[in-house]
Amino acid sequence: MGNFITTLLEVSPHMWAALGLALCIGLSVVGSAWGIWTIGASTLGVSIHKGKLETRNLVSILFCEALSIYGIIVSIIMTTKAQTGECMPGPSAVDRQTGYMMFSAGLITGCCNMMAGITLGVVGKGIAVSTAAVSSLFVKLLIVLIFGEVLGLYGMIVSLIETGNCNFGKTCTF
């Protein structure tokens, strides 16, 4: 067990930051794509069955696209924080902390956006199918869709708070 922990401690903090960045944008896009795919398939099925496409079902797809934007925003902010100085002979304790915090921020944003995308896909599918039968349910079910969207927004806010004071510093002493 000690060998594994030693190996994790020897990994560069910049690698942890880059991995967090990749997880942030990657999982956000996967969640968004999953939601768009689920909603799009059910909206297409309902429109074939009903004979017309209701544009109000596209609101769910717009909410899913916002999840990708949340991931992109956090990734851009993390990229600006990951800029390093000119000389880096070895990582300091602050650099290690920054790397771990950026990794966890990316993981938080990515997982929250992925779960929100799955939630929006399930709820959006329900909205498309139920409003085909009873069109007055749309506004009531839209509230549930907004609650699913807020999951991704919370993840973005937590990550922005966490990375607020993160900066890789110069560790040269000469």
Side-chain angles (χ1 to χ4, degrees):
M1 187 65 177
N3 225 1
F4 179 70
I5 292 173
T6 306
T7 304
L8 285 180
L9 288 175
E10 290 177 359
V11 172
S12 170
H14 297 284
M15 195 283 304
W16 287 113
L19 187 59
L21 182 81
L23 286 171
C24 175
I25 200 160
L27 293 176
S28 295
V29 169
V30 166
S32 177
W34 185 275
I36 290 171
W37 172 65
T38 307
I39 295 166
S42 62
T43 301
L44 182 64
V46 166
S47 66
I48 290 172
H49 178 70
K50 203 170 181 185
K52 66 177 184 172
L53 176 65
E54 294 185 12
T55 56
R56 64 181 172 184
N57 288 331
L58 300 178
V59 171
S60 304
I61 292 175
L62 293 176
F63 281 177
C64 286
E65 289 176 1
L67 295 176
S68 291
I69 294 171
Y70 296 160
I72 290 170
I73 289 170
V74 173
S75 295
I76 289 171
I77 290 172
M78 286 173 61
T79 301
T80 60
K81 302 264 184 193
Q83 303 300 322
T84 61
E86 295 174 0
C87 47
M88 296 286 293
S92 67
V94 173
D95 287 344
R96 289 193 186 281
Q97 180 183 6
T98 299
Y100 296 145
M101 287 177 70
M102 290 179 75
F103 171 74
S104 67
L107 189 64
I108 288 169
T109 301
C111 287
C112 284
N113 285 339
M114 188 174 70
M115 291 300 132
I118 292 170
T119 302
L120 291 176
V122 170
V123 173
K125 180 180 178 179
I127 288 175
V129 171
S130 64
T131 56
V134 182
S135 62
S136 64
L137 289 175
F138 180 74
V139 176
K140 296 173 186 169
L141 293 175
L142 189 63
I143 302 298
V144 178
L145 195 70
I146 292 170
F147 288 150
E149 175 74 22
V150 168
L151 295 174
L153 187 62
Y154 286 158
M156 183 181 84
I157 291 170
V158 167
S159 294
L160 291 177
I161 290 170
E162 185 176 0
T163 60
N165 292 327
C166 287
N167 277 321
F168 285 107
K170 293 183 181 180
T171 55
C172 297
T173 57
F174 52 86

